[in-house]
Amino acid sequence: MSNPSVPSGPSSPSGPGDPSDPSGPSAPSGQDPAPSAGRQRLFVAVLPPAPAVEELRAAVAPLHRLPGARQLRWTGPEGWHFTLAFLGEVDGALLPELYGRLERAAHRSEPFPLRVHGGGRFDGRVLWAGAAGGLDALRLLAERAHAAACRSGVPMEEHRRYTPHLTLARSRTEVELSPFTEALAGFGGTGWRADTLSLVRSDLPVSGVPGEQPRYRVVGAWPLGR
């Protein structure tokens, strides 16, 4: 099994990081947690490039002035991503097997066109931006990421039909999100070539500071089709 590459993924409140172990994937310099040490909160994702993030940032800025915006907890652009599979708390001992299976999933999947497009909601609690382009390829990659986690021994919920989404905001209570989705309806970002499968660690806030965001660290990345 070849070692995963670790690109400059989501940065602060996120940044690169990777477990290290003589028998498994090596860590990038400056990172020293071993795969067998502790548990990590992980998800598999496709990360948008910086130009796509900047376009979406400009489209989202006016939404902060809409009625009800103060009731939402907005996600930071530096952490935006299309989640493929949420793994939850993963035992570090499973990481070498997980790395290998994600590598094979990436190898079997060809790069595909993708762009941020429109918006939607999950009930009245989650506002998201949608996707357009190679959606069949994106869904297949999500299925393979889910299967890779299951076969690595990660307890996963039953796989449901994948809805491509990039979370923009959440609410603990029901909020009328129609004005927000309507404002996003006409948005269509510049396309890019999705060519990397990323494994991301999510470190939840611990300071208790209101509005603090999780910190995301890319712990592994594999090129598609190679």
Side-chain angles (χ1 to χ4, degrees):
M1 176 185 72
S2 61
N3 295 341
S5 60
V6 181
S8 56
S11 56
S12 183
S14 53
D18 194 14
S20 65
D21 180 59
S23 62
S26 60
S29 60
Q31 302 297 327
D32 58 4
S36 59
R39 301 175 69 84
Q40 300 185 42
R41 184 180 176 88
L42 301 172
F43 60 87
V44 184
V46 168
L47 308 180
V53 170
E54 290 306 312
E55 286 182 338
L56 183 58
R57 186 203 296 262
V60 168
L63 274 59
H64 289 254
R65 298 191 291 271
L66 292 178
R70 290 180 177 271
Q71 296 174 254
L72 300 174
R73 292 176 294 130
W74 295 87
T75 59
E78 61 279 348
W80 283 344
H81 58 270
F82 286 102
T83 301
L84 299 177
F86 179 70
L87 280 57
E89 297 287 338
V90 177
D91 190 321
L94 300 178
L95 293 185
E97 178 73 13
L98 177 62
Y99 283 170
R101 292 191 178 277
L102 288 176
E103 179 184 40
R104 289 193 287 274
H107 175 72
R108 295 170 56 202
S109 306
E110 293 298 322
F112 53 90
L114 193 64
R115 62 188 176 94
V116 183
H117 176 77
R121 58 184 175 173
F122 294 135
D123 298 322
R125 295 177 183 267
V126 179
L127 173 68
W128 45 264
L135 297 188
D136 288 343
L138 184 63
R139 290 190 177 98
L140 179 58
L141 189 60
E143 291 174 2
R144 288 173 172 167
H146 184 276
C150 288
R151 291 167 183 165
S152 300
V154 179
M156 299 287 288
E157 294 184 357
E158 181 180 355
H159 183 65
R160 302 175 182 175
R161 179 171 173 78
Y162 176 68
T163 300
H165 66 282
L166 184 157
T167 300
L168 298 173
R170 300 181 179 87
S171 175
R172 291 188 175 89
T173 59
E174 292 280 335
V175 175
E176 178 51 63
L177 294 178
S178 295
F180 299 90
T181 57
E182 290 170 3
L184 287 169
F187 175 74
T190 302
W192 75 90
R193 184 173 181 263
D195 59 5
T196 304
L197 179 68
S198 297
L199 180 64
V200 184
R201 189 177 84 202
S202 173
D203 295 328
L204 298 179
V206 294
S207 69
V209 176
E212 183 182 6
Q213 298 288 332
R215 296 178 65 88
Y216 297 131
R217 296 179 180 270
V218 176
V219 297
W222 298 268
L224 302 184
R226 291 188 282 160

